[in-house]
Amino acid sequence: MVDGLYDIFMWVINHIVLVIFGAVEKVLVLAGLGTVDWLCRQKTAAEQKVED
């Protein structure tokens, strides 16, 4: 009985860790893309000012 509970406990912990890591990874990817997008826009805006 104790072994079964331990297995269930470990499975739950692993599942929670995977879900949290997945969420963190998504946030980091989105933040990275947002930052790259923002930098590109700043660069484009600066180039347009030079042309004007």
Side-chain angles (χ1 to χ4, degrees):
M1 186 63 192
V2 173
D3 287 342
L5 277 175
Y6 181 77
D7 287 342
I8 292 166
F9 185 70
M10 290 311 291
W11 182 87
V12 169
I13 294 290
N14 285 336
H15 206 70
I16 290 168
V17 167
L18 282 175
V19 169
I20 290 169
F21 269 106
V24 167
E25 193 178 27
K26 276 187 194 139
V27 168
L28 286 175
V29 167
L30 286 172
L33 289 174
T35 304
V36 169
D37 188 49
W38 183 81
L39 286 171
C40 286
R41 272 194 238 145
Q42 297 299 312
K43 187 169 172 272
T44 306
E47 285 169 358
Q48 282 171 351
K49 275 183 192 155
V50 170
E51 285 170 12
D52 293 344

